[in-house]
């Protein structure tokens, strides 16, 4: 089992960080720029104030929080009112007690209304009993995959490139990775013929393909799928009786005016599949991405459509075995799905903060992807969504030979040299999967140093190629 995002390069970056803490001598830089992981607050993104104000009140005992006579001098009235409502939903126990294993009922109602409003679904059509609040989307994805892989004959279709959670979890469960390639030349788009090829090849090998994972917007590829592509993949899963695992944690991170996030649930509803019980769909979301960036809070959810009740019951048993996800993470999910209302004292400032963060992400997405694409020897598709650029890098034959001798992939050798020479920590593209003969890396565009990072990558590449 390998997990490239926190793999060899990240481990070396942590070692260098410890060395730099002792002495700045010995390296041509004074700090590591961690662009290897989508962890916004670790690279200076500021937390949204209103959710943190409510969270502070949830943590505080009532006497020095919501019931303190001077509370309104420290916290806006709408934050106090929301914290009071959430504490009531928590049974008056605050975030220090276990919750229902599916999550706090009122919080799940907030998720349900959020989904209905996002997708234009009929009010009341999302059943809260089909929603599980989890410690990040990753826990929900792992739980569903564990339920799907009943033995070593089972496999799940995963995009290539893909987020390593999927490949690592399949390795852990003993399942098969059934890769389908995204089309880099078409902006990492989906191709129906490629889906058919992948499924046919897997069946020919005796693999029981039980599900398909979709990541939209893409990680590591940073693309936003068109409505037609989402419809195609939904119908493909229906035709082939596959459970669709739709990873939608970057749904707020859509940067071009002409693009839109079109959820698989909305596609299924528009196609009449939900009404006719024609699809099995599990959709995931998280507080870690978007503009919240609250990775450390560990809050996420899965909403299921068309999953039989007996399977839902088994998933409830799985969730119950862990008692519950953390109550603070659940609370942040509620705050993500239901912010201050128009007219509330915090509404305009909250929306302004979100807009500023979003515009910063949009600007850096274009800056980094265009900057990398301009480097001779690099090719980088526009980062139109998510938090990443995923360039292809031409590596000289000498690099490939040296990497072979060391037992590394060529882009691992490149990434290691980049780290040790510049302090920039990226993830080798080989950790996500790619077509044979392709090399590259994934980088975030979260850091305020992004412009400088691109220029340092440009300078290093010239020196690196000359070395080999």
């Amino acid at each position: 089992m390998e997990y490239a995002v926190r793999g060899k390069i990240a481990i070396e970056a942590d070692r260098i960080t410890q060395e730099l803490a002792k002495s700045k001598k010995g390296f041509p830089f004074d700090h590591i720029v961690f662009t290897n992981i989508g962890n916004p607050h670790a690279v200076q993104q500021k937390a949204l104030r209103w959710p943190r104000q409510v969270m502070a009140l949830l943590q505080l005992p009532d006497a020095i929080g919501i019931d303190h006579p001077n509370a309104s001098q420290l916290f806006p009235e709408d934050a106090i009112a929301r914290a009071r409502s959430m504490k009531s939903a928590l049974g008056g126990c605050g975030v220090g007690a276990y919750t229902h294993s599916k999550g706090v009922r009122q919080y799940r109602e907030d998720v349900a209304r959020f989904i209905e409003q996002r997708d234009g679904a009929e009010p009341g059509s999302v059943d809260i009993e089909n929603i599980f609040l989890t410690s990040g989307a990753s826990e929900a994805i792992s739980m569903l995959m564990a339920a799907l892989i009943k033995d070593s004959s089972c496999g799940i279709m995963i995009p290539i490139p893909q987020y390593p959670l999927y490949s690592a979890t399949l390795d852990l469960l003993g399942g098969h990775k059934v890769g389908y390639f995204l089309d880099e030349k078409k902006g990492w788009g989906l191709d129906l013929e490629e889906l058919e090829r992948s499924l046919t090849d897997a069946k020919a090998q005796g693999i029981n393909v039980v599900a398909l994972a979709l990541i939209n917007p893409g990680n590591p590829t940073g693309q936003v799928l068109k409505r037609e592509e989402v419809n195609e993949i939904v119908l493909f899963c229906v035709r082939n009786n596959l459970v669709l695992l739709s990873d939608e944690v970057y749904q707020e991170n859509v940067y071009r005016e002409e693009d839109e996030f079109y959820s698989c649930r909305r596609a299924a509803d528009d196609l009449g599949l939900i009404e006719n019980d024609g699809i099995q769909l599990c959709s995931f979301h998280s507080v870690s991405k978007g503009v919240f960036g609250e990775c450390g809070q560990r809050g996420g959810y899965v909403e299921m459509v068309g999953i039989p009740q007996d399977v839902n019951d088994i998933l409830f048993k799985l969730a119950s075995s862990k008692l519950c996800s953390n109550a603070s993470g659940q609370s942040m999910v509620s705050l993500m799905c239901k912010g201050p209302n128009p007219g509330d004292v915090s509404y305009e400032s909250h929306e302004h903060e979100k807009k500023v963060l979003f515009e910063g992400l949009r600007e850096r997405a274009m800056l980094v992807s265009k900057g990398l694409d301009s480097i001779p020897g690099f090719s980088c598709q526009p980062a139109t969504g998510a938090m990443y650029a995923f360039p292809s890098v031409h590596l000289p034959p000498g690099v490939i030979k040296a990497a072979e001798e060391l037992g590394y992939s060529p882009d691992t050798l490149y990434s290691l040299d980049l780290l040790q020479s510049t302090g920039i920590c990226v993830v080798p593209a080989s950790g996500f999967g790619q077509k044979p003969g392709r090399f590259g890396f994934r980088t975030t565009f979260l850091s305020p140093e992004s412009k400088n990072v691109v220029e340092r990558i440009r300078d290093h590449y010239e020196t690196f190629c000359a070395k080999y």
Side-chain angles (χ1 to χ4, degrees):
M1 173 179 169
E2 292 186 10
Y3 189 63
V5 173
R6 292 190 182 268
K8 186 177 190 66
I9 309 302
I11 292 168
E12 175 66 4
D14 286 338
R15 186 194 68 77
I16 294 173
T17 298
Q18 296 303 313
E19 291 294 319
L20 288 169
K22 298 173 188 174
S23 171
K24 302 296 183 186
K25 297 177 181 178
F27 296 97
F29 48 85
D30 60 7
H31 68 288
I32 299 293
V33 183
F34 285 96
T35 73
N36 61 307
I37 191 166
N39 191 15
H41 292 189
V43 285
Q44 302 178 44
Q45 178 173 309
K46 293 182 179 179
L48 295 168
R49 286 183 297 172
W50 184 80
R52 286 294 189 92
Q53 289 168 332
V54 178
M55 291 294 292
L57 289 163
L58 290 178
Q59 293 282 356
L60 288 169
D62 292 355
I64 57 172
I66 56 174
D67 291 338
H68 192 278
N70 297 325
S72 61
Q73 295 178 24
L74 294 172
F75 299 96
E77 290 292 346
D78 52 359
I80 296 171
R82 181 62 179 276
R84 194 178 299 280
S85 171
M86 292 173 76
K87 281 202 167 190
S88 176
L90 286 159
C93 307
V95 291
Y98 292 132
T99 72
H100 189 283
S101 294
K102 287 186 178 182
V104 177
R105 184 179 182 87
Q106 180 177 302
Y107 295 178
R108 286 183 283 136
E109 288 174 351
D110 293 338
V111 172
R113 303 295 84 80
F114 164 78
I115 294 169
E116 290 164 2
Q117 291 166 16
R118 180 197 68 193
D119 291 346
E122 185 179 343
S125 60
V126 176
D127 185 352
I128 67 166
E129 295 307 324
N130 293 330
I131 294 170
F132 287 74
L133 303 184
T134 55
S135 295
S138 297
E139 183 180 73
I141 292 166
S142 297
M143 180 175 74
L144 266 297
M145 291 177 73
L148 285 161
I149 303 296
K150 67 176 182 177
D151 57 42
S152 60
S153 71
C154 295
I156 293 178
M157 294 180 68
I158 59 175
I160 303 296
Q162 51 90 38
Y163 180 52
L165 170 67
Y166 294 93
S167 54
T169 303
L170 283 168
D171 287 342
L172 184 65
L173 297 170
H176 292 274
K177 301 184 287 284
V178 181
Y180 62 91
F181 287 101
L182 303 178
D183 191 338
E184 184 170 8
K185 292 180 181 178
K186 295 181 179 178
W188 298 110
L190 272 171
D191 182 80
L192 189 58
E193 287 184 9
E194 171 60 15
L195 294 177
E196 297 285 2
R197 178 209 61 77
S198 174
L199 181 60
T200 299
D201 288 356
K203 286 181 175 179
Q205 297 171 45
I207 299 171
N208 175 25
V209 182
V210 295
L212 181 147
L214 176 69
I215 309 172
N216 180 41
N219 178 9
T221 44
Q223 88 285 18
V224 180
L225 295 180
K226 298 180 178 67
R227 183 179 291 229
E228 297 77 20
E229 292 173 307
V230 176
N231 283 334
E232 277 186 357
I233 208 159
V234 165
L235 292 170
F236 175 82
C237 289
V238 170
R239 285 195 305 273
N240 293 286
N241 195 30
L242 302 175
V243 177
L244 176 51
L245 305 175
S246 187
D247 184 338
E248 300 173 345
V249 302
Y250 298 99
Q251 59 189 260
E252 286 188 71
N253 302 102
V254 177
Y255 304 120
R256 290 192 308 200
E257 294 292 339
E258 62 267 33
D259 291 334
E260 65 168 337
F261 169 70
Y262 187 62
S263 74
C264 285
R265 192 188 197 284
R266 183 176 177 186
D269 204 8
D270 290 348
L271 292 165
L273 296 167
I274 295 179
E275 182 181 4
N276 297 319
D277 198 25
I279 188 169
Q280 295 185 73
L281 166 65
C282 302
S283 303
F284 308 95
H285 195 15
S286 167
V287 302
S288 298
K289 311 305 176 187
V291 293
F292 269 61
E294 294 278 6
C295 301
Q297 303 283 357
R298 306 311 302 134
Y301 73 75
V302 57
E303 190 254 343
M304 303 182 297
V305 171
I307 302 299
Q309 187 57 49
D310 59 340
V311 176
N312 192 314
D313 293 342
I314 290 169
L315 291 170
F316 180 50
K317 286 182 182 179
L318 274 174
S320 299
S321 70
K322 298 180 180 179
L323 297 176
C324 67
S325 61
N326 78 86
S328 295
Q330 292 185 41
S331 299
M332 191 59 82
V333 169
S334 169
L335 294 166
M336 175 186 72
C337 291
K338 182 184 176 184
N341 296 312
D344 287 351
V345 66
S346 300
Y347 177 77
E348 289 189 8
S349 61
H350 182 62
E351 292 302 308
H352 175 71
E353 287 176 33
K354 290 199 297 182
K355 183 179 180 182
V356 169
L357 288 172
F358 178 81
E359 292 300 333
L361 287 167
R362 192 212 306 257
E363 181 182 341
R364 292 193 300 276
M366 297 303 108
L367 183 152
V368 170
S369 56
K370 285 183 178 179
L372 292 173
D373 191 54
S374 73
I375 300 173
F378 277 52
S379 174
C380 187
Q381 295 295 318
T384 59
M387 295 178 171
Y388 314 102
F390 195 66
S392 170
V393 180
H394 171 74
L395 295 178
V399 176
I400 297 166
K401 183 181 178 183
E404 247 178 55
E405 292 171 356
L406 291 167
Y408 298 165
S409 69
D411 45 22
T412 296
L413 178 58
Y414 165 82
S415 300
L416 193 60
D417 196 279
L418 177 68
L419 171 67
Q420 293 169 341
S421 302
T422 68
I424 298 167
C425 180
V426 299
V427 188
S430 52
F432 301 91
Q434 56 191 335
K435 287 187 174 180
R438 183 193 191 274
F439 309 112
F441 59 88
R442 186 192 79 169
T443 178
T444 70
F445 42 78
L446 298 171
S447 172
E449 297 181 69
S450 289
K451 185 175 182 179
N452 180 257
V453 163
V454 171
E455 293 311 310
R456 283 154 69 185
I457 289 172
R458 184 190 306 274
D459 293 342
H460 167 265
Y461 179 67
E462 186 176 338
T463 305
F464 179 76
C465 288
K467 187 193 302 186
Y468 290 94

